[in-house]
Amino acid sequence: MKLRTLFSLVKEEFFDTLKIRRKPHTLQMPITSRCNSRCVTCNVWKEHSKVDMNPQKLREVLSSPYFSEVKFVGLNGGELTLIPNFFEILDSVLSLPKIKNIHLISNGLLPERLLDLLEKAKKICDAKNVKLGFTLSVDGVGSVHEHVRGVPKCFERTRCILDKFKQDPQRYFSYGVIGCTLSRYNISYVREMDVFFEDYPLTVEWHIAVPNKRIHTYNDSDNYYLLNDEKARLLAIEFFYDRMCRAKSFRKFRWFAQYYFLLNKGKGRLAQCAYHYKDVTIDENLFLYLCATASDKIGDLNIEGVSTIKARRSFSQEAYNIGKHCDQCVHYIYDNPTFKGFLIFCGYMLRNRFRWNKKFEYLVKW
């Protein structure tokens, strides 16, 4: 592990241990509640209100000193290709003084509109020296993807977009990601997806579908959650264990963290969370949240400033409430362990490196 990474780990763990909330470096922003998908792992499409974020008001909100350290903004929905004023919202985000990276997420159901949006957004971001990342949500191959999406015959549209990316990815984004959300509906087909994705020059990020207040599934996860189906849980354990065995160096950690979480039936988050004490979410209504998955609304930025919201007792109370939820959440696991997670991971590797078959031994030398 690089010295800088280790220093960052210790610093972040120190701040989190003291429960010190910093100015956000990351903003998650669902900018619309419109959606043309009918996903079985999301309830946004069931909501009757179809709201787009107000770009003028957003610019005013982001001018607050509270957002002066923001470097990364994630724009999602709903579905962002349905927003008529998307580029006005993008322009407001680019007004942030330290913005370095903007990341978009789309379901890809409108290929022509999406490709045109990405090409224009890439040129705008390039002119500002800002990286544009993009995630295309793909939840299966063929009928599996269509079942999870709830939209018949939509897989060919997804394949069309992937083929375009294969031809000229730099035309559309600085870096591209295939985002696959694993649930009891597609875990049986994870090997098929793995093989299919190999044909495309995009990073694949595998996420476990979790209870999520932002997409209205926090109390409605019985149907899709891997932990609610023993066969699905065991299949997911096998998948993440295999990925951990095949990964090199410290990259093993992200797979181990998800394997460990599933093995322990939904307890024991080992990775740092970007939303714990340091980053926030602003939704399409310009409501403020302290966590992308478990936070209730803590303020309305249409009518009050961040300083007013922070002064209320409910701000610190909500931070405390979501902190209690963290150990049971596996949302967006990356390579940054908590101090406890680092010790558990190292201990596991040391205990098991001599038990593995010789032909896998080179995989655990890190």
Side-chain angles (χ1 to χ4, degrees):
M1 185 190 299
K2 293 181 179 179
L3 184 61
R4 182 181 298 178
T5 304
L6 182 60
F7 175 75
S8 176
L9 167 64
V10 172
K11 183 180 73 172
E12 292 301 326
E13 184 68 16
F14 173 77
F15 279 122
D16 285 354
T17 300
L18 295 180
K19 299 182 179 180
I20 298 172
R21 179 165 284 276
R22 287 83 84 196
K23 285 185 177 182
H25 286 198
T26 299
L27 278 176
Q28 288 295 343
M29 290 173 48
I31 56 178
T32 182
S33 57
R34 301 172 191 253
C35 195
N36 51 354
S37 186
R38 300 292 182 268
C39 296
V40 295
T41 57
C42 175
N43 289 330
V44 167
W45 59 274
K46 294 180 181 179
E47 295 300 301
H48 295 297
S49 60
K50 305 301 178 186
V51 179
D52 298 331
M53 186 174 279
N54 182 320
Q56 289 75 32
K57 187 63 180 178
L58 174 64
R59 182 183 289 267
E60 180 184 328
V61 167
L62 295 182
S63 67
S64 165
Y66 182 71
F67 299 110
S68 62
E69 297 296 320
V70 171
K71 298 178 179 65
F72 182 100
V73 175
L75 301 181
N76 48 68
E79 172 50 37
L80 51 82
T81 56
L82 300 177
I83 308 175
N85 58 358
F86 170 81
F87 288 100
E88 294 176 59
I89 294 172
L90 179 64
D91 188 57
S92 295
V93 172
L94 287 169
S95 70
L96 287 163
K98 293 189 177 181
I99 185 70
K100 297 294 182 184
N101 193 311
I102 295 174
H103 196 98
L104 312 180
I105 301 177
S106 172
N107 61 32
L109 292 181
L110 296 172
E112 291 184 7
R113 191 179 297 183
L114 173 63
L115 293 170
D116 182 60
L117 180 149
L118 287 174
E119 189 170 358
K120 291 178 180 177
K122 175 67 161 48
K123 291 178 180 177
I124 293 171
C125 289
D126 283 349
K128 298 280 188 176
N129 198 29
V130 172
K131 289 185 178 179
L132 180 71
F134 174 70
T135 293
L136 180 66
S137 297
V138 187
D139 295 319
V141 178
S143 60
V144 176
H145 176 74
E146 292 167 3
H147 175 63
V148 175
R149 280 280 157 229
V151 180
K153 300 180 180 180
C154 68
F155 180 69
E156 284 308 312
R157 297 181 229 173
T158 298
R159 189 198 293 268
C160 171
I161 294 170
L162 288 171
D163 288 341
K164 286 286 188 180
F165 292 163
K166 189 175 181 179
Q167 294 170 14
D168 187 8
Q170 292 303 311
R171 178 178 178 180
Y172 302 105
F173 41 71
S174 305
Y175 61 92
V177 176
I178 294 172
C180 184
T181 301
L182 295 174
S183 67
R184 61 190 297 185
Y185 295 104
N186 62 4
I187 190 62
S188 297
Y189 307 94
V190 69
R191 300 295 179 187
E192 181 184 16
M193 291 186 279
D194 204 10
V195 172
F196 174 76
F197 294 153
E198 286 178 358
D199 197 37
Y200 296 98
L202 283 78
T203 301
V204 181
E205 292 183 353
W206 305 89
H207 304 295
I208 297 171
V210 299
N212 189 320
K213 286 187 178 180
R214 185 182 68 77
I215 59 175
H216 314 295
T217 64
Y218 196 76
N219 298 311
D220 186 29
S221 61
D222 289 347
N223 292 330
Y224 66 81
Y225 201 19
L226 292 171
L227 296 180
N228 294 333
D229 183 314
E230 186 62 7
K231 178 183 176 182
R233 184 179 75 91
L234 293 174
L235 286 171
I237 287 173
E238 179 185 1
F239 172 71
F240 285 112
Y241 181 79
D242 176 67
R243 303 296 292 198
M244 177 184 69
C245 292
R246 291 194 285 133
K248 296 181 180 180
S249 188
F250 203 75
R251 298 287 294 181
K252 288 178 177 296
F253 173 75
R254 79 165 58 182
W255 308 114
F256 173 77
Q258 295 179 89
Y259 159 76
Y260 182 91
F261 182 85
L262 291 163
L263 197 65
N264 287 277
K265 298 185 177 181
K267 292 186 178 179
R269 182 184 178 96
L270 303 183
Q272 291 181 15
C273 178
Y275 299 96
H276 198 184
Y277 303 117
K278 51 183 176 286
D279 298 312
V280 297
T281 292
I282 300 174
D283 74 4
E284 65 275 10
N285 297 293
L286 291 174
F287 296 159
L288 183 67
Y289 305 79
L290 295 183
C291 169
T293 60
S295 175
D296 289 322
K297 180 182 76 173
I298 59 168
D300 183 349
L301 294 170
N302 289 289
I303 58 176
E304 54 190 346
V306 178
S307 57
T308 303
I309 296 171
K310 286 182 65 181
R312 291 201 295 260
R313 186 175 182 276
S314 58
F315 186 93
S316 56
Q317 183 62 47
E318 187 62 17
Y320 173 77
N321 291 340
I322 62 176
K324 294 191 298 183
H325 168 79
C326 287
D327 191 55
Q328 302 173 50
C329 178
V330 72
H331 191 55
Y332 287 143
I333 292 289
Y334 293 119
D335 298 329
N336 299 325
T338 61
F339 186 66
K340 174 185 174 181
F342 180 75
L343 293 179
I344 290 175
F345 173 66
C346 290
Y348 182 88
M349 290 292 113
L350 290 172
R351 285 196 308 271
N352 287 276
R353 67 180 300 160
F354 297 111
R355 301 178 190 175
W356 292 24
N357 189 296
K358 287 288 185 183
K359 67 180 180 179
F360 293 117
E361 188 173 272
Y362 74 98
L363 290 173
V364 295
K365 291 181 180 177
W366 55 278

